[in-house]
Amino acid sequence: MTATRQVRCKDVLIGGGAPCSIQSMTNVDSRDEAALLDQICRLKDAGCQIVRIAVPDMESAQIFAQVRRKTSMPLVADIHFDYRLAIAAIEAGADKIRINPGNIGSPDRIRAVVEAAKVREIPIRVGVNSGSLEKDILKKYGGVTAEGLAESALRNIKYIEDMDYGNLVVSIKSSDVKVNYDAHKILAEATDVPIHIGITEAGTPKRGKIKSAIGLGALLLAGIGDTMRVSLTVDPLEEVKFAAEILRSLGLRKSCINLISCPTCGRTKIDLKGLAEEIEEKLSPIESKLSSSGKDGITVAVMGCAVNGPGEAKEADFGLAGGDGKGLIFAKGEIIKTVDEEDLAAEFLKIIEDTVYFLHFTI
């Protein structure tokens, strides 16, 4: 398998042995600056490293420029059909653009986009989807096939490289897990361009997570994938969190927070399920901070009864042991306080945050 070359999207390295980065895409109106900034901020807190924004018209390109000035997040402009939008997005400060050369138009228009990218020295992501294959390839293979997807991608890579520009990322996506896998295997053997992996239109969280875990996990285990997006019909924050789980489960990303919680039983007298889910969700910004620090992670225990709860909570860096409408909070083996159930999550999270951020427990 060919080792990939390395490109840079702002401060994130892609390919060349860099860790697989996590991407997502905004799903708010691209002309709503406030909504974009809010969603980008939340995505960053969840652990997203690169955010893609659709740029369907000149108004959204202008808003893209305003957003670019107000966030440090690496931003990718997603362009289809109008080459002028790609140039406008590049001039607006895009750190990477995503195009399908096949729907941009004439060679002169594609060259104009490439020349603009050259000036700013930003990568172009060549994107090929099963729903937008060229007619001649569909005819050649009798429909969408792995071979056709790979051929389309390689054709478009060559098209831009022949314009003397190799600052590229490539993506080929299908909603069929097997076709997607086979296409990536062919592609990875044929090019050293960094590969963005995903399962396009994976679906709702219930089904889409299964397809994404299998499809992306198989590629990553095969050594394919320099950056990734989990595509789900859901809040994009869920995409980011699930992508991180895939990477952690494969040992490709360190678990900075080891969350332990008991399965509950008849002795449980607090809403442990709700409590654990709330704590898990709100630990995301702390986990992102720990991950970027390079320091050791922490163990957090959320326990539901007096049998094993106090012992597990005491052994963790931060622990919570539920009782009858109340809970004990531990830090480094010591009981910090007893708190009523309704205040338990907020108090517990505050203690963790204060210790990690201000007392430099690990960072």
Side-chain angles (χ1 to χ4, degrees), residues 218-232:
L219 289 172
L220 290 164
L221 284 173
I224 300 171
D226 300 293
T227 184
M228 65 185 286
R229 179 195 175 191
V230 171
S231 300
L232 300 172

Side-chain angles (χ1 to χ4, degrees), residues 9-14 18-24 40 43-52 72-76 95 226-228 240 243-244 247 253 288 291-292:
C9 180
K10 201 169 189 287
D11 56 356
V12 176
L13 296 176
I14 301 173
C20 184
S21 54
I22 295 174
Q23 302 193 24
S24 188
I40 290 168
L43 285 167
K44 183 177 181 180
D45 284 345
C48 188
Q49 295 164 278
I50 299 171
V51 172
R52 183 154 50 110
S72 61
M73 176 68 81
L75 299 180
V76 180
D95 301 298
D226 300 293
T227 184
M228 65 185 286
V240 173
L247 292 174
R253 178 167 291 200
S288 297
S291 179
S292 63

Side-chain angles (χ1 to χ4, degrees), residues 13-57:
L13 296 176
I14 301 173
C20 184
S21 54
I22 295 174
Q23 302 193 24
S24 188
M25 189 171 184
T26 58
N27 63 359
V28 297
D29 189 337
S30 294
R31 297 160 296 183
D32 188 333
E33 179 185 345
L36 282 170
L37 286 167
D38 176 69
Q39 192 165 63
I40 290 168
C41 182
R42 291 188 295 114
L43 285 167
K44 183 177 181 180
D45 284 345
C48 188
Q49 295 164 278
I50 299 171
V51 172
R52 183 154 50 110
I53 301 174
V55 181
D57 51 40

Side-chain angles (χ1 to χ4, degrees), residues 19-20 22 244-258 287-298 362-363:
C20 184
I22 295 174
E245 282 299 314
I246 292 173
L247 292 174
R248 281 194 287 265
S249 69
L250 296 173
L252 297 175
R253 178 167 291 200
K254 183 172 68 175
S255 294
C256 292
I257 295 182
N258 178 27
E287 184 160 32
S288 297
K289 181 73 173 178
L290 286 168
S291 179
S292 63
S293 75
K295 303 285 186 176
D296 292 338
I298 59 175
T362 58
I363 58 178

Side-chain angles (χ1 to χ4, degrees), residues 262-270 272 302-313 320-324 326-328 330:
C262 66
T264 74
C265 67
R267 291 184 293 268
T268 306
K269 295 184 178 179
I270 61 171
L272 189 70
V302 181
M303 307 302 293
C305 77
V307 176
N308 296 317
E312 293 279 3
L320 179 158
D324 188 359
K326 296 181 182 295
L328 293 175
F330 295 77

Side-chain angles (χ1 to χ4, degrees), residues 13 18 38 159 189 238 278 290 344 356:
L13 296 176
D38 176 69
Y159 195 46
E189 293 289 348
E238 290 301 311
E278 180 181 356
L290 286 168
L344 204 45
V356 170

